[in-house]
Amino acid sequence: MCAMMRNNPLRLLLPVVMLLLSIMSLTSCYKYENGFTDIHHYNRNYNFVVKVDSMIIYENPDTSIYDSTILYRGDQLVVAEIKTISNDTIDSVWVKLARDQMSQGWTRECDLLNSVAPDDPISLFIDMFSNNHLLLFLALVVIVTASYGLRKLYRRDAFIVHFHDISSVLPTLLTILVATSATVYATIQNFVPEDWRHFYFHPTLNPFAVIPVIGLFVSLVWALIIMGIAVVEDVMRRLPFGSAVLYLLGLAAVCAVDYVVFSIFTLYYIGYVLLVVYIWFAIRRLRLVLTRYICGNCGKRIPGLGKCPHCGAINE
């Protein structure tokens, strides 16, 4: 027989929340203006980094002059000047870049934006996950790997979120947060892409320094970090080390599938319905396992009825 346990795992969030709120209060912010006065989202003295293997800048914006400099991946550049050449049929906007005093030159804006990224870690992270080919590849790898891994865990009777879960609310909340974050991200791409483009050039970790929908997304990212830390601590406390690692791997696989599915399907407006159904499913499954027990034999905390992972006794 097992006695019921009363232990609120949400108390684990308090110190983590206080720490991250302190960090967030120290992060930089920028003034966000509606109706962009700078359609390029960048200006003189803006910093870029080359993200392709190589790119060419010309000594003069006149296409008939071919004196040029080759820049390579990882080179840091600063915008020296922006000008318009109205008779250019390819792109009338030309940008002068400087790597150093000796390496300066011009390139069309269309070529520039295809070859560089803002020299900011947040922008570089966004750029990496905005690559369509990479996203399709990751989607295929994630779905195949997660399906195989979850199947193996299920056949081993291991604990898996939603299906053979531990009696904790935190892992389920994490999966819902991931699904919601992916839905909000795709919503931004659908309805306010220009605002997201501005955020890409001027990123911030302060959710109060941007428009509400992007502020919501930034807040969800903070919530994911907080919840992720709390989930790891909670799972490691509830399960033996080996079982905890397997559970966290399975949880990571479910979260990865949630991100891929909701970020893609929301682009076609199906994700909103899927999100409602998924939240209903997750909460319904959670209610089945919320009761907490201790083993009637060894007295240690166990995730649910059945075989004790500590001593092997059967609890009914």
Side-chain angles (χ1 to χ4, degrees), residues 1-3 294-300 302 308 310-315:
M1 297 292 292
C2 291
I294 58 172
C295 177
N297 181 51
C298 66
K300 293 184 178 179
I302 58 176
C308 173
H310 303 283
C311 67
I314 302 299
N315 295 272

Side-chain angles (χ1 to χ4, degrees), residues 5-303:
M5 294 287 295
R6 293 185 178 181
N7 186 16
N8 184 7
L10 294 179
R11 66 180 178 81
L12 301 170
L13 293 176
L14 183 58
V16 180
V17 171
M18 296 301 296
L19 174 62
L20 291 181
L21 284 177
S22 300
I23 296 174
M24 187 168 62
S25 67
L26 299 175
T27 57
S28 62
C29 62
Y30 64 94
K31 184 179 180 182
Y32 191 95
E33 297 180 357
N34 294 323
F36 303 114
T37 57
D38 181 8
I39 61 173
H40 306 289
H41 304 298
Y42 62 90
N43 214 319
R44 293 181 61 181
N45 300 320
Y46 190 87
N47 296 311
F48 286 109
V49 61
V50 180
K51 66 178 182 180
V52 295
D53 292 334
S54 63
M55 65 175 291
I56 299 176
I57 55 176
Y58 299 95
E59 184 177 337
N60 194 294
D62 188 339
T63 55
S64 65
I65 299 177
Y66 293 98
D67 292 337
S68 61
T69 301
I70 300 178
L71 306 175
Y72 297 97
R73 183 187 298 273
D75 285 349
Q76 295 178 316
L77 310 173
V78 62
V79 176
E81 189 176 346
I82 302 174
K83 69 185 302 183
T84 301
I85 301 179
S86 57
N87 61 353
D88 191 325
T89 57
I90 299 176
D91 190 343
S92 61
V93 178
W94 281 72
V95 182
K96 185 177 183 181
L97 303 167
R99 180 178 60 188
D100 50 53
Q101 289 292 335
M102 303 300 296
S103 303
Q104 300 185 28
W106 295 81
T107 185
R108 293 183 177 92
E109 185 182 48
C110 60
D111 295 329
L112 169 70
L113 297 182
N114 288 330
S115 304
V116 301
D119 191 11
D120 182 277
I122 301 176
S123 298
L124 293 172
F125 184 81
I126 293 172
D127 186 77
M128 180 178 65
F129 279 90
S130 298
N131 186 306
N132 291 332
H133 294 91
L134 176 63
L135 283 179
L136 291 175
F137 175 75
L138 285 177
L140 178 62
V141 170
V142 163
I143 292 175
V144 172
T145 304
S147 299
Y148 177 78
L150 292 174
R151 180 173 177 269
K152 294 288 288 184
L153 289 174
Y154 187 78
R155 297 182 71 176
R156 290 184 57 179
D157 199 31
F159 293 106
I160 307 174
V161 65
H162 299 329
F163 301 103
H164 184 205
D165 209 352
I166 62 176
S167 55
S168 173
V169 68
L170 299 184
T172 297
L173 288 179
L174 180 63
T175 60
I176 292 176
L177 274 175
V178 170
T180 304
S181 300
T183 303
V184 172
Y185 174 74
T187 299
I188 293 171
Q189 304 304 311
N190 276 341
F191 297 106
V192 286
E194 199 63 26
D195 294 86
W196 178 256
R197 186 175 178 82
H198 187 79
F199 177 79
Y200 168 69
F201 281 98
H202 303 277
T204 175
L205 296 177
N206 185 350
F208 305 106
V210 289
I211 63 172
V213 64
I214 296 181
L216 173 61
F217 178 73
V218 175
S219 298
L220 288 171
V221 171
W222 279 109
L224 284 173
I225 295 173
I226 295 170
M227 190 62 67
I229 296 173
V231 165
V232 171
E233 197 281 338
D234 191 37
V235 171
M236 297 300 291
R237 181 173 55 84
R238 290 174 178 274
L239 295 175
F241 180 78
S243 299
V245 171
L246 286 177
Y247 181 85
L248 291 173
L249 289 175
L251 178 61
V254 171
C255 289
V257 172
D258 284 344
Y259 170 77
V260 169
V261 169
F262 286 97
S263 60
I264 292 177
F265 278 90
T266 304
L267 293 175
Y268 304 98
Y269 308 105
I270 304 173
Y272 302 109
V273 177
L274 287 179
L275 181 63
V276 174
V277 173
Y278 180 71
I279 293 175
W280 172 83
F281 164 77
I283 293 176
R284 185 171 181 270
R285 295 295 301 178
L286 179 64
R287 292 180 61 186
L288 300 177
V289 295
L290 270 184
T291 303
R292 300 168 181 82
Y293 298 93
I294 58 172
C295 177
N297 181 51
C298 66
K300 293 184 178 179
R301 184 182 295 108
I302 58 176

